[in-house]
Structures are given as C-alpha cells and as structure tokens.
Amino acid sequence: MAQTRLIRAGAIVITGDPRNGAGDSSLVDFQMPLSHRLSPATGLALLLVCSAVLIREWLGDGVLGLLPVILTALLLAPLTLQVRKGRQVFVAIGLCLTLILALSDDNWRATVLKGLGTAGFIAAFFTALASLRSAAGSSASMSRAGRFLAQQPPGRRYLALTLGGQLFALVLNYGSIALLGGLASDAAEAEPDAEIRGHRRRRMLLAIQRAFVSMLTWSPLSFSIAVSIALIPGATWPDVVLPGIVSSLLMAGTGWALDTIFRPRLNQLRPAFRPPEGNWRLLTPLFILLGLLVIAVVLLTWLTGIRVVGIVLLVVPLLAVAWVLLQRREDPTAASLGQRSRRFFWTEMAGYHGELTLLMMAGYIGTVGAPILTPLLLASGLDPLGLPVWAILLCIIWIIPALGQLGMNPILAVTLLAPMVPSAAAMGLSPAAIIVAITAGWALSGASSPFTATTLLIGSFANISAARVGLVWNGAFTLTAGAVMSLWVLIHALWLG
C-alpha cells in the first residue's frame, strides 16, 4: 500500500510506495480534487521555469528574451488554483498593486517584468534547495547523524546541536529543523522526569533554531543571501562570506552564552547519562558535502564570473542527482533517477505549493510595491538620505524583525526596503556592508517573528504557540543578539569595510 509522510514548511516530503518510489499521482483521475489534477501541469511548468532561469543566469537575459517571465506567469496560474485562500490573498494583492502601478507610473511594464523575474528566480532557487532536501530525505546517514547529535550529554548538547545544526541547515534548509526537531523531541520524551524533559526539549529546540538562523548570514543556499545580493548593486558573495561567517559565529555564540549563563537549576540530581549511538564520524558526509558545495561555488564563481545564485542553481541539483545515484548504487532496489525526478516534480513539490506561492508573491509584491511606497515616504518627509550612515544601517537591522512581528515575510520586507536604501557609493560604504546589515536583520526576524517557518516548526514540536517561541523563548536572545549584531555591523561598515 502506498505510504505518505509529509512535513510542511520546507521539510521533507515523501509520497508513494517506499519500496519502488512510484507514487499514484501519475494516474490522473478526474474525480480527484482540482489541485491533484493540476499537479502534473504545475510540475511541468515549474521544471520549465527552473530551466529558463538557469539558462538566463548563465547565458544572459538576451538568450531567451521574455520566456522566463512568461513561464513564471503561467506557473502562478495553476498554483493560485491549488493553494488555500490565505495564499490566494497574496496573489490578489499583487494584482491590485499592479493596477495601481499601471495607473501611476509610465514605466510600470518594466517594473512588472522585473517583479515576475524575481518571482521566477525565487521559484527556481526554492526548487533547487528542495532537490537537495529530497535526496537527503532518503539517506539513512542523515538520520543517524542527527540522532547522534540529539543524544549528546547535557554539558555539550547545546553546542553540538548548534554546530551540527548549521551543517544540517546548509543541506536541508528548513528541513533541518524538521529532522533535528523530531529527533530532539523523541530524545526528550525518553526522559521520565517531567521537569528535566521540559528543560531538555526547550534547550535542544532553541539550539536547532538558532543554528539555522545563524546560517542565514553567509550561506549561499539561503534566501537571505540570494535575495539580498540580487537587490543590492555591486554586491557579490565572495565579498560577503567572511563578514557573514563572523555574523554567524556571533549569533551562534550569543545563543550558547545565554544558554550557559541561564542554565536551569534542577530540583533533583541529574539522571545517569547514556552514551550516544555512534561517534563524530557520523558527521563526515555533511562535512564532505559542505566542502564540495563551497569549493564548487568558489571555483565556478572565480572561473565564470557568474553570480553565486546562478552557480547554486546548477551545482545543488547536480549534487542531489549524484546523491540519488549513490544511494541507488548502495541499494539497487531504491527508486531510479527517472522515478525520483518524476516524483519530485509531480508529487513532492505539490506539498510545497503554498510555500512556493507565498515566496514568489512576496518577491513580486515587494518589487512592484517599492515604487509605489517610495514616493509616499518622500512626500511625508522621511528621506533616508537625510539620515547619518550609522542610523541607516541600524534601521535596516531592526526594521526587518519589527515588520516580522506584523506578519511580513523577510523576502517581502527586504524587497520593499532595499530600493529605499541609498546606494553604497552615496553612503561611502561597500555593498557588502549593506548585505551584512540586511542578513543580520533577516536572521533576527527568523528567530523572533511568530509568522516565520522557523518559529512555527519549533512551536509545533514544543506544543506551544509560535508567538511564545519568538517573543518569550527567543526574546532575550533577539535583543542581545541584535545589540551584538548592531555593533558588529557598524564596526564592519565604518572601520573594517
């Protein structure tokens, strides 16, 4: 019998018979819901969009002309019909903003095409990351490594989950929270004492979440880096990676320091510790994958001059294909590459339609909304050029998490704000300085906003609300890390940069 396992919000989706990898979605039954009948068409449109965006990134805009934009519009049509009304509202907002822009700006067509181009890029980038998550989802070594981290002794568990969680976040993105969060919850449930169980679950889940958000400041596989570099002229990943790693270490170190300083005091003696299964060599595949990704991205960026997102769109799916072929070599009964590819586009990606629509529309709304909002701000007297440079940088850091409290996706917040930020040359800064500020704010929003996938996932594992995760569990962390990041951004921009 076909089996299905689905974890939402960017985790791992496995649908079909695990023995042969063949799902039932290839048989179209017209009595099925509309969303199921449209899934093959949506999967094909998504494949075409990814291919067109990849070609555009490598060969330039003039090769395919408007084809990537047209394909993106065609992809949004079936997606809109398949998602729930809450996601359809974003499409309606995008259409309304397009109409307002058409009535108020003579250059509206170029802005709309740019917005659709941004939406198409987001769809392709999301799909590339999902392909690696799909390959990792059927890898037994990933589960063994995650279980080993979750079984570490209390004295080093938080640090182990922070460092290991960063490696998992690089490969699985949001899926790292789903995988490690599930293993952490299972490990906590094995503790019979309710007091210890509650403290253990909270500390483990926070380590996993903070590991993920700390990767947003430098990882070439994160939307924060991809979107920010695309929006800030002159910014490149090689210029951002070193200060981004410093940001990552500062955020992760702040979380570890707070956990160590405010370690809970138990009313009884700790139970005897049971050694974890395995050893640190279980993390070897993650280190190898990290090395391959970094070497490939750095080498191809240096050889070709293509921006890092274009490199990622090619390298990540190729690594996913290689991983699937390696798994089939180890287990000849596993699904073939063709079966996995069809299942990925036709079935697995159907589990992401809501998230995909939200992210695509966030990019489009931000692009189209910025030229509408900017004149209104200038008319009200809020001219960023009148602010000192240090104030602009601090505003970037804190406005993004503040908007996150109002339910604004970081992609939407950044695409709205970036056009209003004075150019790096006008402020006497390097473009990397602006990127470091943006990614710092993006990471803080990921830890504190009750509306992001990170807090929603952590809340689901802890059986509490996302608001409690963001505002109570991470309240002190957000304020402390925000202060540390503010100081680092100013030091980097005004002295080191």
Side-chain angles (χ1 to χ4, degrees), residues 97-116 364 367-372 375:
L97 290 176
T98 302
L99 179 60
I100 295 173
L101 185 67
L103 296 174
S104 59
D105 189 346
D106 293 335
N107 196 37
W108 68 275
R109 292 181 181 84
T111 304
V112 169
L113 292 178
K114 181 181 178 182
L116 287 173
Y364 180 82
T367 304
V368 175
I372 298 174

XYZ file of all heavy atoms in Angstrom, residues 97-116 364 367-372 375:
212
model
N -1.799 45.808 -6.674
C -0.634 46.688 -6.757
C -0.217 46.916 -8.207
O 0.228 48.022 -8.568
C 0.528 46.094 -5.962
C 0.379 46.104 -4.439
C 1.557 45.386 -3.786
C 0.290 47.533 -3.919
N -0.347 45.887 -9.032
C -0.022 46.044 -10.449
C -0.936 47.081 -11.092
O -0.485 47.930 -11.882
C -0.161 44.696 -11.173
O 0.695 43.727 -10.556
C 0.213 44.824 -12.638
N -2.220 47.035 -10.767
C -3.171 48.005 -11.317
C -2.838 49.420 -10.837
O -2.850 50.377 -11.633
C -4.587 47.619 -10.900
C -5.710 48.561 -11.374
C -5.733 48.644 -12.895
C -7.062 48.091 -10.830
N -2.530 49.567 -9.537
C -2.177 50.896 -9.006
C -0.923 51.432 -9.687
O -0.842 52.615 -10.058
C -1.976 50.809 -7.479
C -3.292 50.457 -6.795
C -1.419 52.126 -6.937
C -3.144 50.188 -5.310
N 0.067 50.554 -9.868
C 1.305 50.973 -10.515
C 1.052 51.381 -11.964
O 1.616 52.384 -12.450
C 2.327 49.838 -10.450
C 3.724 50.158 -10.974
C 4.398 51.183 -10.088
C 4.564 48.887 -11.057
N 0.197 50.637 -12.673
C -0.094 50.953 -14.068
C -0.766 52.316 -14.207
O -0.575 53.022 -15.215
C -0.972 49.869 -14.678
N -1.541 52.699 -13.201
C -2.246 53.975 -13.253
C -1.383 55.150 -12.794
O -1.762 56.313 -13.027
C -3.513 53.906 -12.382
C -4.585 52.908 -12.834
C -5.713 52.843 -11.814
C -5.111 53.266 -14.214
N -0.252 54.854 -12.137
C 0.536 55.942 -11.552
C 1.951 56.056 -12.084
O 2.630 57.053 -11.807
C 0.607 55.751 -10.028
O 1.205 54.498 -9.698
N 2.406 55.076 -12.844
C 3.807 55.079 -13.288
C 3.868 54.679 -14.752
O 3.401 53.608 -15.143
C 4.623 54.104 -12.434
C 6.116 54.214 -12.677
O 6.520 54.838 -13.676
O 6.889 53.671 -11.856
N 4.469 55.543 -15.571
C 4.573 55.245 -17.003
C 5.523 54.081 -17.277
O 5.442 53.451 -18.340
C 5.063 56.498 -17.752
C 4.039 57.626 -17.716
O 2.838 57.328 -17.557
O 4.449 58.805 -17.834
N 6.407 53.808 -16.328
C 7.377 52.731 -16.519
C 6.930 51.439 -15.842
O 7.736 50.587 -15.487
C 8.737 53.172 -15.947
C 9.872 52.297 -16.431
O 9.888 51.861 -17.581
N 10.823 52.033 -15.552
N 5.631 51.269 -15.697
C 5.104 50.149 -14.917
C 5.398 48.798 -15.552
O 5.593 47.806 -14.844
C 3.597 50.324 -14.708
C 2.773 50.197 -15.962
C 2.496 51.172 -16.865
C 2.136 49.008 -16.440
N 1.719 50.690 -17.887
C 1.482 49.366 -17.643
C 2.044 47.704 -15.968
C 0.750 48.433 -18.387
C 1.323 46.776 -16.708
C 0.677 47.147 -17.899
N 5.451 48.748 -16.880
C 5.674 47.450 -17.539
C 7.043 46.880 -17.161
O 7.173 45.680 -16.882
C 5.574 47.603 -19.052
C 4.169 47.917 -19.559
C 4.148 48.028 -21.070
N 2.813 48.346 -21.558
C 2.310 49.580 -21.629
N 3.064 50.628 -21.242
N 1.093 49.788 -22.069
N 8.073 47.725 -17.143
C 9.404 47.243 -16.778
C 9.431 46.744 -15.333
O 10.075 45.733 -15.029
C 10.425 48.366 -16.970
N 8.712 47.434 -14.446
C 8.667 47.007 -13.052
C 7.951 45.671 -12.909
O 8.378 44.804 -12.145
C 7.969 48.071 -12.197
O 8.633 49.324 -12.356
C 7.979 47.676 -10.729
N 6.852 45.494 -13.634
C 6.113 44.230 -13.573
C 6.974 43.081 -14.095
O 7.006 41.987 -13.504
C 4.802 44.341 -14.369
C 4.149 42.968 -14.542
C 3.833 45.290 -13.676
N 7.684 43.315 -15.194
C 8.559 42.270 -15.728
C 9.674 41.937 -14.737
O 10.037 40.769 -14.566
C 9.156 42.724 -17.061
C 8.174 42.862 -18.234
C 8.894 43.373 -19.470
C 7.501 41.529 -18.538
N 10.190 42.965 -14.077
C 11.213 42.727 -13.057
C 10.648 41.921 -11.900
O 11.294 41.018 -11.370
C 11.763 44.061 -12.567
C 12.861 43.926 -11.523
C 13.354 45.287 -11.058
C 14.415 45.145 -9.965
N 14.871 46.483 -9.484
N 9.411 42.242 -11.491
C 8.773 41.503 -10.404
C 8.551 40.040 -10.756
O 8.786 39.142 -9.932
N 8.095 39.783 -11.982
C 7.911 38.398 -12.409
C 9.244 37.678 -12.522
O 9.353 36.483 -12.220
C 7.178 38.362 -13.755
C 5.685 38.707 -13.719
C 5.131 38.801 -15.134
C 4.906 37.672 -12.911
N 7.399 39.326 -5.729
C 6.704 40.171 -6.713
C 6.097 41.404 -6.050
O 6.241 42.528 -6.549
C 5.596 39.359 -7.404
C 4.830 40.171 -8.434
C 5.345 40.349 -9.715
C 3.618 40.766 -8.122
C 4.655 41.096 -10.663
C 2.928 41.524 -9.060
C 3.455 41.673 -10.317
O 2.781 42.434 -11.250
N 8.751 43.956 -5.141
C 9.293 44.651 -6.316
C 8.309 45.666 -6.863
O 8.690 46.798 -7.217
C 9.651 43.625 -7.404
O 10.558 42.646 -6.865
C 10.295 44.304 -8.598
N 7.039 45.289 -6.966
C 6.021 46.188 -7.517
C 5.612 47.253 -6.507
O 5.299 48.394 -6.869
C 4.791 45.369 -7.974
C 3.664 46.280 -8.437
C 5.184 44.423 -9.100
N 5.623 46.900 -5.225
C 5.178 47.838 -4.198
C 6.186 48.919 -3.881
O 5.800 50.022 -3.452
N 7.492 48.648 -4.073
C 8.525 49.625 -3.722
C 8.357 50.948 -4.461
O 8.399 52.014 -3.834
C 9.909 49.029 -3.964
N 8.161 50.962 -5.791
C 7.981 52.260 -6.469
C 6.689 52.969 -6.104
O 6.558 54.169 -6.363
C 8.005 51.881 -7.953
C 7.729 50.435 -8.018
C 8.233 49.851 -6.744
N 5.735 52.260 -5.517
C 4.509 52.916 -5.030
C 4.742 53.524 -3.658
O 4.286 54.643 -3.366
C 3.347 51.892 -4.978
C 3.040 51.350 -6.370
C 2.098 52.526 -4.372
C 2.002 50.243 -6.382
N 7.629 57.068 -3.209
C 7.171 58.462 -3.300
C 6.336 58.892 -2.101
O 6.381 60.059 -1.697
C 6.344 58.475 -4.594
C 6.830 57.313 -5.380
C 7.189 56.283 -4.369
